[in-house]
Amino acid sequence: MSRMKIAMVVGSSRTGSLNEKLARAVAALAPDTLEFERVRIDDIPHYNGELEGARPAEVTRFTDQIRAAQGVFFVTPEYNRSIPGMVKDAIDWGSKPMGQNVWAGKTAGMMGTSPGGIGTAVGQQHLRQVLSVLGVTVVPAEAYIAFSQPDLISDSGEVSADATRTFIRAYVERFADLTRRLAS
Ligand code: FNR
């Protein structure tokens, strides 16, 4: 079976991002049935319907990448108990114009990390809610990771704690299984 293409969306573009480290860990621990493609969102403008006649090239690049993928994997921080605006704008562009929603029929996995104890749990509830109106099937499991020690995940995505590594691997395998089943 050919590998399933998965768009990886990361909700933080700052240097040293904890979620960037987690995204690298996800890709490193994923089964080889998945082929991740990083999808850039930090250069996408705020949604503006006036631009629909001539969409910015960054937006078209993004929506083409999502359209070509079988599934999407979000790794994002939580901002004030919700998702970062950058993530929401990208989702909104992909949902329009009417009848051309690029999200419909995709599967989604989601993970996030923060130094806080309930790291990204509430933000993920918001993301799940947004995706549910766009026809996305989200993995029926939660995966939020407290970045409890500075070396939990290295810059290149190596996870130092066995339990965290096992947890990430199990979640990504579940996402792969869901995506494979929906594709068949
Ligand atoms: C945060 N942070 C945060 N953390 C959390 O667990 N719940 C929250 O609601 C928020 N809210 C929030 C708002 C804003 C505007 C910022 C900048 C930060 C802290 C956040 O989790 C922390 O800065 C992470 O390190 C951000 O992720 P990256 O950039 O390291 O991937």
Side-chain angles (χ1 to χ4, degrees), residues 7 14 18-19 29 31 55 65 68 71 85 92 95-96 106 109 122 125-126 128-130 138 141 149 164:
R14 76 178 184 87
L18 304 180
N19 286 275
L29 294 170
R55 286 190 150 205
Q65 286 176 306
D92 291 342
S95 71
K96 294 289 176 191
K106 310 285 180 203
V122 185
Q125 288 296 332
H126 282 196
R128 205 173 272 274
Q129 183 183 339
V130 171
V138 183
Q149 56 199 67
T164 305

Side-chain angles (χ1 to χ4, degrees), residues 6 39 49-50 64 86 115 122-123 141 149 152 155 175-176 180:
I6 306 301
V39 172
E50 280 178 27
D64 284 351
M86 163 167 97
V122 185
Q149 56 199 67
L152 182 66
D155 289 349
F175 167 71
R180 183 185 49 72

